[in-house]
Amino acid sequence: MRKQLLIACLLLLSICSYAQQITVKGIVTSATDKEPLIGATIQVKGSGTGTITGIDGDYTLMNVPANAILVYSTIGYQTQEIKVNGQTTINVVLSESAELLDEVVVIGYGAVKKSDLTSSIATVKGDEITETVTGNAMDALQGKINGVQVTSGGGPGTQPKVLIRGVTTVNGTDPLYVVDGMPVGTNINFLNSNDIQSMEVLKDASAAAIYGTRASNGVILITTKKGIAGKTNISFSASAGFQTLAKPKMANAAEYKEVFNTRYTNDGGTSIWNDTGATTNPNGTDWWDEVINKTALVQNYSLNISGGNDKLVYNLSLGYFRNNSQYDYGYWDKINARLNTEYTFNKYVKMGFDIAPRVESWDDTPNLFSAAMSMDPTTPVFKPQDQWVDNEFNNYQRSYNNQEWNPAGSLSRQNGHSREMGAIVNTYLQVNPIEKLTLRTQFGANAHFRRSDGFTPEFYIDALEQSTLSNVSREMQEWLDWNWTNTATYSDTFASKHNLNIMGGFTAERFAWFQTKASRDDVPNNMDIMQEVNAGTQNQKGDGTTTYNTLISYLGRIMYNYDNRYYVTASIRADGSSRFPKGNKYAIFPAVSASWRIISESFMQDQKVFSNLKLRGGWGRVGNQNIDNDATLTLLGQADYVFGSTPVRVPGTMISGVGNNQLQWETVEDWNVGVDMSFLNSRLGVTFEYFQKKSSNMLYQKQNIFAIGYPDWNSTVWMNIGSMKASGWELSLNWQDKVSDFSYNVGVNLSAVKNRAIKFSGDGPIQTGGFNSDQIIRNEDGGLISRFYGYVADGIFQNWSEVYAHTNEHGKLIQDKAQPGDIRFKDLNHDGVLDENDKTWIGNPYPDLMVGLNLGFNYKNFDFTANFYGTLGNDIFNKTKGLYSGVSGQNVWAGTLEKAWHGEGTSNDIPRLSYNDLNQNYTRVSSFFVEDGSYMRCKLLQVGYTLPKKLLRGTELRLSFSAQNPFTITGYSGMDPERPQIGNDGSVIETGIDGIAYPNPRTFLFSIDFKF
């Protein structure tokens, strides 16, 4: 009885003790920087009782059982469980989660741990992208990802050129962009960079083959920011500043006049100088200052709100970006909104809905750099006021001494504007009917509508500078694309060491484009209110078109690894495209990759050299369907015929395009091997890869056989007749370390690639890049692409003896029209005649080496970032060197009188001044124009300071100043060594020619960032 009473008393005491409620206080800090963690969650395990930490990391939790277990957690840190044991004060230090050290990487239709990758995939986080303020996120990637060559476009709204591991096709080089699982095409100008959470670049076919149809140029996966359950987070960033261009040094009026007259004097002629006396200032008109502004405004604003609970999470953002041109006319701006939501019904069903509306507007930025540099500086901007008329466009002065149109007048007549409105809607449903199986269906639509208005006024400045009829036009375009993706994924682990992931699915896509355009001539006046198509009185024109193309695909992938040491991934995709004829619509794109984590082997456990060591390799095939929707069809179009002895024009029809109903898919086969290593406790990371890509059945527009009934002598037809190959290597070195309050990282990226044409059309070399009835570039089978082809300049004749000595073996002058001061050209075949047979390769626009250098330093609340990018070994055909000639009276570079040959020994580079140039110094394609285009450009210098959170009661405030493109180290004499690499409309077989396009500006910005 006593024993039973004792037991009952002990149980009662225990119950009373358990039932005792206490209050627990404390502070939660980070083990990394000892800073308090705001918003960390403290919860009584097994109950709904909990709280979060305040601005000082402090918390108070009441009604806590004395024997409870408290769970401390926050995003990015390891969760801790601590027994209370009657304690009323518990301070906790949380360590960063190990998962951050082995981050998840997005792949096609899934995600894997970075350590489990078998393919070549590079990741850039959103914070790195927003360091650079730009309208297109790809500009921020320059030099940050190995093997990805990004060339910035310069002007507002210009799309950068992106090459991933070289060139294997002439049909476009832009990669496929996939935003949150939805393919959105080849341009992401519409996207707000601040919305990006991460960006993954699939560089090899083993990673990209799962997107087979359009993956031949690589794939870039973009994940936008999503909400996280917990406290509502608000962030706001604002950047504002200006852009500026380096002003070229052109001759003033006095030097220009002397150069003009000297050209005639040197040729024994009489100058036709027009000395009006209107310009008394010896410096004349500075046309650069008249046309190009010293600064252009750039601004960027972004607001983000995110949060949610265990059921619904959301992320809402709003952004505005504007970039003015360096002219008074021309700009690009965009307003972006985005709402990403996800609702979890239960552990079986989850649903997401995202919508991203946008509005873009732009005035067409003119290209008047060449005109501003060439215009006669003795000419004033306007005619004398007593000659002014009501039509303001008539009041500009015609050039006195050359045929250049008045650039200020051209600028005043600019009148082209576009506005585009659109939205991307993306929704998905995910079901987990049983453990380890995930079913997902996703439907997305991308709709955008553009209106483009243009007006060209009637004006008369001179008989050679006029437009007799005004013209007004309006074009309406509509794009409506949708994508439906369905996948099933099963993942499991067997016997603790066998890890398997199987995915299968199908996709369907449709792309539609609707276009209508109307125009009329002869608007009664130039008033804004009259700039409507209805106001035109002559030449009414209208046209419109509708195009569709569709894709349907079946895909599958198996990922297996044994004991986290041996990995194999195999995928296959079958694609069908409406662009190809019956029988050739479908193509199969397989891929396989494998890796070996050597560091996980038992024999590596005692070594001290490697922190990580992994070998990997992959092979795959990807496709290209970048042809016209009607490439297989022979079509009729409108044409005019002329009949009768008194010619009468009669409307009719004729063949407008020749089709090929035997077209097949273009295929690119790719293989690569690589090694990932790290040393010194993972402070030093090293990655090396070698790759090779080769296309077959390349789609190419072959010159058609000229025959009666075909559209014209220059008509083409699509055919599978080409092949190209790209091979190269990549090396990345990254060092990161922390010493007390100072942390830093240094990254170096080195890559090289050779782009070779195995076969083009079979009709002989493809020549392009027009230059004075000749061509600069020659592409031929078996050679590197886009190389310059011309004569070799061998210095300058210094005297008549050298002119007479330049003969063939029979004493015949090779350059019989040359004089001292002219360029000597090599007679390469020694036949005594300077002709096409003496041309040779004189330059290669593609670099031998691409270099990226990225630096980051942090000391307490200060941070500093520096990014550099450059190329080595590439050449540029510098057309601006022709400005030394003064041809047709154009203005010349400042100092031309001294730099041009004017006596023996005065120059061995710039030839003499001449008005007739009988030796063709400036009209012949030669190495005289070819310069080394190597450069190293500082892409970003940024310094920032983050105010301590305690001062702002938990609000994080960061102030920063940045300079983008502040300086460039180069020996190139043109305006911008980077800009020519974009090529003619992005063509890969016509690149490296500097024709004075919009250069990349220097940008200086002040930024402020809030986080609440």
Side-chain angles (χ1 to χ4, degrees):
M1 184 65 182
R2 290 180 180 178
K3 187 177 294 185
Q4 291 173 341
L5 183 60
L6 179 61
I7 292 174
C9 290
L10 289 173
L11 286 173
L12 182 62
L13 181 63
S14 175
I15 292 172
C16 292
S17 175
Y18 180 79
Q20 184 180 359
Q21 305 287 312
I22 63 175
T23 298
V24 180
K25 299 180 180 181
I27 298 175
V28 181
T29 57
S30 168
T32 304
D33 54 14
K34 312 304 180 186
E35 286 288 322
L37 291 176
I38 303 171
T41 300
I42 302 95
Q43 191 168 13
V44 177
K45 188 174 183 179
S47 76
T49 304
T51 187
I52 61 174
T53 56
I55 60 175
D56 295 319
D58 56 323
Y59 71 93
T60 300
L61 187 59
M62 296 182 292
N63 300 320
V64 178
N67 289 340
I69 297 176
L70 298 184
V71 180
Y72 297 79
S73 64
T74 191
I75 297 170
Y77 288 82
Q78 293 180 353
T79 299
Q80 279 196 42
E81 295 186 2
I82 296 179
K83 293 180 179 180
V84 175
N85 289 334
Q87 301 176 82
T88 57
T89 300
I90 302 178
N91 296 323
V92 178
V93 178
L94 296 183
S95 300
E96 287 189 357
S97 172
E99 293 179 0
L100 294 180
L101 305 177
D102 197 7
E103 62 189 15
V104 172
V105 175
V106 176
I107 60 174
Y109 308 99
V112 298
K113 291 190 297 183
K114 187 175 182 179
S115 60
D116 292 347
L117 283 176
T118 58
S119 303
S120 183
I121 300 178
T123 300
V124 177
K125 295 300 182 184
D127 291 343
E128 297 178 68
I129 296 171
T130 53
E131 288 175 346
T132 302
V133 176
T134 176
N136 190 303
M138 294 308 299
D139 282 321
L141 262 62
Q142 196 173 50
K144 293 184 177 179
I145 297 182
N146 235 341
V148 180
Q149 184 179 357
V150 180
T151 305
S152 299
T158 306
Q159 180 183 357
K161 178 180 177 180
V162 180
L163 287 178
I164 298 178
R165 288 188 168 178
V167 178
T168 55
T169 182
V170 296
N171 298 314
T173 64
D174 297 310
L176 170 67
Y177 296 96
V178 179
V179 178
D180 293 331
M182 179 181 175
V184 294
T186 58
N187 188 348
I188 55 169
N189 268 3
F190 67 86
L191 188 63
N192 181 1
S193 298
N194 289 279
D195 285 342
I196 298 176
Q197 179 67 35
S198 69
M199 189 180 287
E200 274 79 20
V201 180
L202 313 187
K203 296 191 290 183
D204 65 354
S206 65
I210 202 70
Y211 290 101
T213 53
R214 292 166 287 168
S216 63
N217 296 320
V219 180
I220 297 180
L221 308 181
I222 298 172
T223 303
T224 60
K225 295 176 180 177
K226 303 295 188 292
I228 300 173
K231 178 185 175 183
T232 299
N233 295 295
I234 303 174
S235 63
F236 174 76
S237 64
S239 300
F242 64 90
Q243 295 180 328
T244 182
L245 296 174
K247 180 180 177 180
K249 297 179 180 179
M250 306 306 297
N252 59 22
E255 183 179 11
Y256 169 74
K257 177 179 179 180
E258 190 169 353
V259 168
F260 190 102
N261 291 327
T262 301
R263 293 170 57 239
Y264 287 86
T265 301
N266 287 348
D267 289 347
T270 301
S271 175
I272 59 171
W273 175 258
N274 181 16
D275 196 352
T276 65
T279 303
T280 57
N281 181 356
N283 291 322
T285 302
D286 189 326
W287 287 102
W288 185 273
D289 285 349
E290 293 291 340
V291 176
I292 290 97
N293 296 324
K294 288 183 171 60
T295 60
L297 178 67
V298 59
Q299 48 192 321
N300 188 42
Y301 309 97
S302 183
L303 172 68
N304 185 275
I305 304 172
S306 65
N309 51 40
D310 59 344
K311 289 290 186 180
L312 175 67
V313 293
Y314 64 90
N315 188 90
L316 173 66
S317 69
L318 181 66
Y320 175 73
F321 176 87
R322 182 181 175 102
N323 187 183
N324 289 354
S325 80
Q326 296 290 150
Y327 303 95
D328 286 336
Y329 194 88
Y331 77 94
W332 174 52
D333 72 2
K334 58 180 179 178
I335 300 173
N336 295 84
R338 178 176 289 272
L339 174 63
N340 291 350
T341 62
E342 185 176 79
Y343 186 81
T344 302
F345 293 91
N346 49 49
K347 67 178 182 178
Y348 302 107
V349 181
K350 181 166 61 176
M351 182 178 181
F353 176 79
D354 306 336
I355 184 170
R358 66 185 185 275
V359 178
E360 292 183 65
S361 301
W362 62 89
D363 285 343
D364 297 336
T365 299
N367 185 2
L368 296 170
F369 296 108
S370 179
M373 296 166 69
S374 301
M375 182 62 177
D376 170 9
T378 68
T379 302
V381 176
F382 293 102
K383 297 175 181 177
Q385 286 195 16
D386 59 4
Q387 299 179 23
W388 284 16
V389 296
D390 290 340
N391 187 342
E392 61 181 304
F393 303 118
N394 293 1
N395 299 330
Y396 291 88
Q397 180 62 56
R398 173 68 177 174
S399 174
Y400 293 151
N401 290 292
N402 64 30
Q403 301 302 313
E404 192 71 53
W405 280 27
N406 187 312
S410 298
L411 180 61
S412 70
R413 297 190 298 272
Q414 293 291 317
N415 197 334
H417 176 79
S418 297
R419 171 165 291 177
E420 182 171 310
M421 294 178 286
I424 293 180
V425 178
N426 206 358
T427 184
Y428 72 88
L429 177 66
Q430 182 172 304
V431 179
N432 298 86
I434 60 173
E435 189 179 1
K436 303 171 185 177
L437 175 63
T438 301
L439 305 178
R440 181 184 175 101
T441 183
Q442 176 173 315
F443 183 86
N446 183 5
H448 46 123
F449 314 88
R450 180 186 301 172
R451 187 191 74 205
S452 299
D453 293 310
F455 178 72
T456 302
E458 176 189 356
F459 72 98
Y460 182 90
I461 295 175
D462 181 83
L464 298 177
E465 190 170 350
Q466 64 169 318
S467 177
T468 57
L469 285 177
S470 57
N471 174 269
V472 61
S473 66
R474 170 166 290 175
E475 183 178 21
M476 306 292 289
Q477 298 181 79
E478 176 183 342
W479 293 265
L480 181 57
D481 308 333
W482 58 258
N483 171 280
W484 185 31
T485 300
N486 301 272
T487 58
T489 304
Y490 179 81
S491 60
D492 200 359
T493 298
F494 305 95
S496 74
K497 292 186 177 182
H498 300 273
N499 303 291
L500 181 66
N501 181 288
I502 302 174
M503 184 274 295
F506 75 91
T507 70
E509 301 175 68
R510 194 189 78 157
F511 310 88
W513 176 57
F514 311 91
Q515 179 261 351
T516 305
K517 184 175 182 179
S519 68
R520 281 183 180 177
D521 293 339
D522 197 17
V523 178
N525 60 56
N526 298 328
M527 295 175 59
D528 291 346
I529 198 172
M530 296 295 291
Q531 294 175 16
E532 298 287 345
V533 175
N534 278 349
T537 60
Q538 297 184 37
N539 302 329
Q540 178 171 299
K541 296 179 181 179
D543 62 69
T545 187
T546 300
T547 67
Y548 296 94
N549 70 286
T550 56
L551 292 165
I552 189 166
S553 308
Y554 303 91
L555 51 105
R557 179 178 57 214
I558 298 176
M559 295 187 291
Y560 169 79
N561 81 73
Y562 174 75
D563 198 21
N564 294 322
R565 287 183 290 166
Y566 312 111
Y567 297 81
V568 176
T569 298
S571 68
I572 190 167
R573 178 166 178 145
D575 277 326
S577 171
S578 63
R579 287 178 170 173
F580 293 97
K582 186 177 180 180
N584 291 337
K585 288 188 180 294
Y586 281 88
I588 306 297
F589 302 103
V592 63
S593 58
S595 67
W596 176 24
R597 288 189 69 187
I598 305 174
I599 195 67
S600 298
E601 297 290 350
S602 58
F603 60 80
M604 294 291 292
Q605 301 311 303
D606 295 329
Q607 57 84 35
K608 304 297 182 182
V609 178
F610 295 97
S611 304
N612 181 44
L613 179 60
K614 181 170 72 172
L615 297 176
R616 52 186 169 79
W619 170 91
R621 287 178 180 164
V622 287
N624 190 338
Q625 55 133 21
N626 191 20
I627 57 175
D628 299 336
N629 288 344
D630 53 11
T632 63
L633 304 176
T634 297
L635 303 174
L636 293 177
Q638 182 178 346
D640 292 340
Y641 294 85
V642 179
F643 297 102
S645 57
T646 302
V648 177
R649 179 173 292 177
V650 179
T653 58
M654 68 177 293
I655 294 177
S656 61
V658 180
N660 178 1
N661 60 6
Q662 301 298 315
L663 286 178
Q664 303 177 36
W665 284 84
E666 175 182 316
T667 301
V668 177
E669 186 169 338
D670 170 305
W671 64 267
N672 67 292
V673 292
V675 57
D676 301 322
M677 301 175 287
S678 63
F679 307 89
L680 303 173
N681 293 324
S682 298
R683 286 179 292 177
L684 174 63
V686 181
T687 297
F688 177 82
E689 291 190 60
Y690 178 83
F691 62 88
Q692 187 175 108
K693 302 163 60 178
K694 181 181 177 182
S695 62
S696 59
N697 285 329
M698 188 175 72
L699 293 161
Y700 183 81
Q701 287 185 285
K702 178 182 171 66
Q703 194 74 28
N704 205 0
I705 299 174
F706 180 56
I708 295 176
Y710 278 7
D712 54 54
W713 66 272
N714 196 33
S715 66
T716 58
V717 59
W718 284 101
M719 300 188 76
N720 294 99
I721 51 176
S723 178
M724 297 175 70
K725 183 173 75 171
S727 57
W729 56 268
E730 302 167 4
L731 175 64
S732 297
L733 304 169
N734 293 281
W735 174 272
Q736 56 182 358
D737 198 7
K738 182 175 183 179
V739 180
S740 187
D741 293 327
F742 177 72
S743 62
Y744 64 98
N745 61 274
V746 179
V748 178
N749 296 322
L750 305 172
S751 61
V753 60
K754 293 294 183 184
N755 305 297
R756 189 175 301 276
I758 298 175
K759 182 183 178 182
F760 278 127
S761 66
D763 292 337
I766 298 173
Q767 301 190 86
T768 185
F771 186 81
N772 296 318
S773 301
D774 200 355
Q775 304 291 329
I776 297 170
I777 289 172
R778 179 184 176 102
N779 295 278
E780 66 180 23
D781 295 351
L784 300 175
I785 65 172
S786 201
R787 287 181 294 172
F788 310 142
Y789 191 77
Y791 296 96
V792 177
D794 188 24
I796 290 178
F797 294 119
Q798 297 297 323
N799 49 55
W800 281 108
S801 297
E802 292 186 3
V803 175
Y804 296 143
H806 192 45
T807 64
N808 64 7
E809 58 184 7
H810 302 296
K812 179 183 177 182
L813 286 176
I814 294 173
Q815 295 173 239
D816 57 351
K817 296 180 181 179
Q819 298 182 29
D822 285 331
I823 296 175
R824 179 195 297 110
F825 296 104
K826 285 188 176 182
D827 175 21
L828 295 181
N829 65 350
H830 307 292
D831 65 353
V833 179
L834 206 59
D835 57 19
E836 291 288 320
N837 297 318
D838 296 303
K839 287 185 175 182
T840 188
W841 306 112
I842 56 176
N844 181 5
Y846 286 98
D848 296 326
L849 184 67
M850 292 168 281
V851 182
L853 174 63
N854 302 291
L855 309 173
F857 305 98
N858 293 272
Y859 178 72
K860 293 186 176 179
N861 291 352
F862 289 93
D863 61 85
F864 175 77
T865 301
N867 299 327
F868 299 83
Y869 176 76
T871 63
L872 299 174
N874 56 295
D875 298 309
I876 297 175
F877 192 92
N878 184 11
K879 283 187 175 181
T880 68
K881 209 169 180 182
L883 289 174
Y884 283 111
S885 71
V887 62
S888 301
Q890 69 179 11
N891 199 11
V892 295
W893 292 108
T896 292
L897 281 171
E898 289 300 317
K899 293 179 181 178
W901 187 94
H902 53 279
E904 188 169 349
T906 55
S907 175
N908 201 40
D909 179 30
I910 307 301
R912 70 188 183 93
L913 295 171
S914 168
Y915 83 90
N916 54 30
D917 191 17
L918 296 178
N919 191 56
Q920 295 183 275
N921 297 318
Y922 287 98
T923 59
R924 196 191 305 260
V925 176
S926 74
S927 59
F928 165 73
F929 292 96
V930 178
E931 297 185 35
D932 182 3
S934 303
Y935 73 95
M936 177 59 75
R937 169 165 286 170
C938 179
K939 298 298 300 181
L940 175 68
L941 290 178
Q942 185 179 90
V943 60
Y945 177 74
T946 302
L947 276 67
K949 294 179 182 180
K950 291 182 179 180
L951 294 180
L952 301 174
R953 307 183 67 83
T955 299
E956 183 177 304
L957 172 62
R958 179 177 179 269
L959 306 175
S960 64
F961 176 79
S962 63
Q964 297 172 192
N965 301 330
F967 64 87
T968 303
I969 302 170
T970 183
Y972 178 60
S973 66
M975 294 181 65
D976 183 0
E978 178 182 352
R979 188 63 177 82
Q981 293 182 18
I982 274 200
N984 182 23
D985 295 326
S987 171
V988 294
I989 60 172
E990 186 180 336
T991 187
I993 301 174
D994 189 348
I996 318 183
Y998 202 120
N1000 286 289
R1002 294 189 294 264
T1003 305
F1004 301 93
L1005 292 158
F1006 176 76
S1007 302
I1008 185 168
D1009 296 271
F1010 288 98
K1011 291 183 180 178
F1012 302 92

